Structure formats: structure tokens, C-alpha cells
Amino acid sequence: MAKDLNKKALADAVAEKTGITKKAANELVDVTFKTIVETLVEGGSVDIFGFGKFEVKERNARNGINPITKEKIEIAASKSPAFKASRLLKDAVKND
């Protein structure tokens, strides 16, 4: 049966599967996520074999149209986090 996971449930699952305390598992999950965020902020990427790759995508500035007023507007350049699933993850989900 499928269930949704939030951060707390993920930490609980880590604690249960590894035998460490829930507090230690929560700290481990926090440090893992914090390290991923710090790496992305610094311009790096995080590649986890068999899972996927986290990276930052850059969007160029572009012209757009305000849908309400129909005025032309300039949309500023921006950065956005992105995740690309590995083939192993895609296959696991597809074959489930």
C-alpha cells in the first residue's frame, strides 16, 4: 500500500530501518537536505547514483504579456532548482 512521506515520516523510516534513534535520524535527514541546498546555492549539483540529480536551472530574461491588462512586461532572469530522475528510479517506478 502506497503512503505519502513528509520529512518526519522519512526520518521515522530511516530510524526504523537503521536502528538509530528517531532524534538521530531526524538530524541525519536535516543535514542531508541542508547539504543539498547549500551545494545548489553555491552553484553545484548533487548526483545520487540510482536516484537522480539535483541542479539549478537558469532562465533567461524574456518578454511576456500580462494576461489581465494585455500589457507587455519584462520577466527577469531567474534560477530554479530542478531534479532529474535516474534511469534506475524511472524503471523502478514504471515497473511497479
Side-chain angles (χ1 to χ4, degrees):
M1 180 177 186
K3 67 177 183 177
D4 294 334
L5 274 181
N6 58 24
K7 191 170 95 171
K8 181 184 180 318
L10 177 61
D12 290 348
V14 169
E16 182 179 320
K17 291 180 181 190
T18 62
I20 63 176
T21 66
K22 287 185 179 183
K23 181 178 179 183
N26 191 50
E27 290 172 3
L28 182 65
V29 169
D30 282 342
V31 168
T32 301
F33 289 156
K34 184 176 180 182
T35 303
I36 291 170
V37 170
E38 288 171 352
T39 302
L40 294 176
V41 167
E42 293 170 0
S45 64
V46 179
D47 194 357
I48 302 170
F49 179 78
F51 186 70
K53 183 174 184 178
F54 296 91
E55 59 189 352
V56 176
K57 298 282 186 172
E58 294 190 29
R59 294 183 179 152
N60 294 327
R62 60 196 188 280
N63 293 322
I65 298 175
N66 181 326
I68 297 172
T69 64
K70 306 297 184 204
E71 290 181 58
K72 290 185 179 183
I73 56 172
E74 185 172 320
I75 302 169
S78 63
K79 294 180 182 180
S80 178
F83 175 76
K84 182 177 181 186
S86 73
R87 177 160 311 278
L88 291 173
L89 177 58
K90 288 178 185 177
D91 289 345
V93 170
K94 186 187 308 183
N95 296 326
D96 186 30

